[in-house]
Amino acid sequence: MPNANEDTPSALNQVQRRAVTELLRVAPVADDLACRFQEAGFRLALVGGSVRDALLGRLGNDLDFTTDARPQDILGIVRPWADSVWDVGIAFGTVGAQKSGYQIEITTYRSEAYDRTSRKPEVSYGDSIEDDLVRRDFTVNAMAVALPEKEFIDPHNGLEDLAAKVLRTPGTPEASFSDDPLRMMRAARFSAQLDFEVAPEVVRAMTEMSERIEIVSAERVRDELNKLLLSRHPRTGLALLVDSGLAARVLPELPALRLESDEHHRHKDVYEHSLTVLEQAIALESEGPDLVLRLAALLHDIGKPRTRRFEKDGRVSFHHHEVVGAKMTKKRMTALKYSNELVRDVSRLVELHLRFHGYGDGEWTDSAVRRYVRDAGPLLARLHKLTRSDCTTRNKRKAAALSRTYDGLEERIEQLQQQEQLDAIRPDLDGNEIQQILGIGPGPVIGKAYAHLLELRLEHGPMEHDDAVKALTEWWADQS
């Protein structure tokens, strides 16, 4: 999009043309809904992100509307019309619906504000769209299109800011962030999603008011962080969180990396290295944004500050930082209310991210390769990507050598996969067979026998049935 300062009329005309095209596409559903509100004596407008995305030429099937109708009135209008309706957000004035493949949210004109001790916004309803728009987070989200007449409403010059690719607040940023402190994180998120610059006065307010984020619930902070990480340019948003001081309050392990020298002196600090690893991991994604991989890439070295040691020869070491980092990852993600499954997977990747570096020039035994696969389990594909991303050396020869070595490991894994079904490694005897051979019932000893046979399987590969029985009976004799 052209810079508005260079050619504002041209830029504005361009975004307006895009909007017309997008709005014509959704008009059958939007206009039909608007006519129903009009017949009931209410007003309806497409609003916020939907208008912004229409102007950018990328309006999807998620449509946001605002209205002077109260939630119960919205339900009365929408229920006979929509394919399905849900009211989980009705306490906040929002009714959801699906119609002809469109996901629709309709919200009563409203305002949100926090007091100094509240973690949840207080909702009050308004009567004019102008009052609703002034309470929106940013000017590019404070535009509306009244329906069905298609009147463009832009009291805060959001169209100009959109053309200039700048994020500003409709009122003062201090008032906006006081109403909802999460908007400070949204500024970072939108800068990453849209590749927009955040206005200096907004950055200044974020920095001065960063402590206000602490009254926002962990769940809302987590959700905003996820949206940032899954955006097209997460590095931009993360840097803004760190520079403004917000990260020190919601993800303090990230800015802590800024002070730590990387042991290979490849970058000025581990913070820059971690952001580079994140970008390189994103480049390896093949099926869309992967939150598990991106979190692991961002957090893989957070154990370094706690494990830093200055050696006698002048080097800096971070022994076992992957183990410490895995524990720190689990603690931080738990505090941010991530699911147990996500916490488990990300912390496991952090714990395993250095394992490959013991591979050297490919001297691992088949047993070591089996253990690598077994320990990674279903995370193996992500571990491949994380390990490759962790190479940020500027020495092209060294980078090429590391890549070739990892190619070799993946080839060996593939060969063993074909021979032994590595992704389903199990002992050569199951629990029932163990009980039958030893002549005992269920109990702890069966688990010990199973673990012994699994160890043999990892060490030597598959065994014939008779060999497995012999190994089990010999072990049982030693136990006796």
Side-chain angles (χ1 to χ4, degrees), residues 412-429:
R412 287 186 65 188
I413 290 173
E414 178 62 27
Q415 292 168 359
L416 285 172
Q417 289 275 27
Q418 295 176 3
Q419 297 170 13
E420 305 179 14
Q421 294 182 314
L422 284 187
D423 51 357
I425 291 180
R426 297 181 180 86
D428 296 281
L429 301 172

Side-chain angles (χ1 to χ4, degrees), residues 51 68 85 139 145 206 226 233 264 295 333 347 355 360 388 393 397 453:
V51 176
D68 57 342
V85 175
T139 60
V145 177
M206 291 169 64
N226 287 348
H233 307 284
H264 300 300
L295 280 166
M333 290 184 66
S347 58
R355 183 74 65 85
R388 289 183 180 277
T393 178
R397 178 185 295 179
L453 291 174

Side-chain angles (χ1 to χ4, degrees), residues 172-426:
T172 67
E174 290 80 7
S176 180
F177 298 156
S178 180
D179 280 348
D180 186 353
L182 191 67
R183 289 172 177 172
M184 294 186 287
M185 289 195 66
R186 284 196 198 125
R189 189 246 293 185
F190 283 125
S191 72
Q193 280 184 335
L194 304 173
D195 196 21
F196 278 20
E197 179 184 356
V198 181
E201 68 273 14
V202 176
V203 175
R204 184 167 56 251
M206 291 169 64
T207 305
E208 293 173 352
M209 300 177 66
S210 60
E211 79 284 352
R212 286 281 286 157
I213 198 66
E214 294 178 0
I215 73 165
V216 180
S217 69
E219 291 86 351
R220 296 185 75 213
V221 168
R222 174 204 64 207
D223 291 346
E224 203 59 45
L225 180 62
N226 287 348
K227 292 173 184 176
L228 191 163
L229 284 172
L230 293 172
S231 67
R232 294 190 298 170
H233 307 284
R235 184 180 190 132
T236 302
L238 290 168
L240 181 54
L241 289 183
V242 171
D243 293 342
S244 65
L246 282 164
R249 300 179 184 276
V250 300
L251 191 63
E253 295 80 5
L254 183 59
L257 294 175
R258 243 179 173 177
L259 307 177
E260 306 305 320
S261 298
D262 185 274
E263 74 266 36
H264 300 300
H265 305 290
R266 296 176 294 199
H267 297 271
K268 66 178 182 180
D269 53 33
V270 180
Y271 167 73
E272 291 292 338
H273 165 75
S274 297
L275 294 182
T276 300
V277 172
L278 172 61
E279 290 181 320
Q280 294 185 166
I282 291 171
L284 294 178
E285 291 174 339
S286 56
E287 298 180 1
D290 184 341
L291 183 60
V292 172
L293 177 63
R294 294 189 183 197
L295 280 166
L298 181 65
L299 302 176
H300 76 285
D301 272 349
I302 63 171
K304 283 189 171 180
R306 293 189 183 179
T307 58
R308 183 173 62 163
R309 297 290 183 273
F310 295 98
E311 306 294 348
K312 293 180 180 179
D313 61 2
R315 291 185 306 109
V316 179
S317 67
F318 302 94
H319 296 308
H320 306 301
H321 75 268
E322 73 280 11
V323 177
V324 173
K327 293 179 180 177
M328 293 172 64
T329 296
K330 182 177 181 180
K331 183 177 180 181
R332 175 54 53 196
M333 290 184 66
T334 299
L336 288 172
K337 308 295 185 182
Y338 279 97
S339 69
N340 292 336
E341 180 181 5
L342 207 63
V343 172
R344 180 197 66 210
D345 288 350
V346 175
S347 58
R348 186 62 167 159
L349 284 170
V350 171
E351 183 181 2
L352 293 174
H353 83 272
L354 281 187
R355 183 74 65 85
F356 161 72
H357 294 285
Y359 190 65
D361 295 322
E363 68 273 14
W364 273 7
T365 63
D366 285 351
S367 170
V369 175
R370 292 186 194 102
R371 294 175 194 278
Y372 188 79
V373 174
R374 189 273 309 268
D375 291 346
L379 298 171
L380 182 62
R382 288 186 174 112
L383 182 59
H384 288 331
K385 295 173 184 176
L386 177 60
T387 302
R388 289 183 180 277
S389 303
D390 197 22
C391 175
T392 58
T393 178
R394 295 172 183 173
N395 185 319
K396 293 183 178 180
R397 178 185 295 179
K398 185 176 181 181
L402 283 169
S403 180
R404 286 194 302 271
T405 303
Y406 205 83
D407 288 342
L409 175 58
E410 288 201 56
E411 289 173 4
R412 287 186 65 188
I413 290 173
E414 178 62 27
Q415 292 168 359
L416 285 172
Q417 289 275 27
Q418 295 176 3
Q419 297 170 13
E420 305 179 14
Q421 294 182 314
L422 284 187
D423 51 357
I425 291 180
R426 297 181 180 86

Side-chain angles (χ1 to χ4, degrees), residues 30-44 67-69 73 76-78 80-81 147-149:
D31 287 350
D32 184 16
L33 181 61
C35 288
R36 290 174 182 270
F37 273 78
Q38 195 174 60
E39 289 169 2
F42 300 110
R43 295 184 292 277
L44 186 74
T67 179
D68 57 342
D73 297 317
I77 297 170
V78 170
W81 171 81
L147 301 172
E149 57 270 26

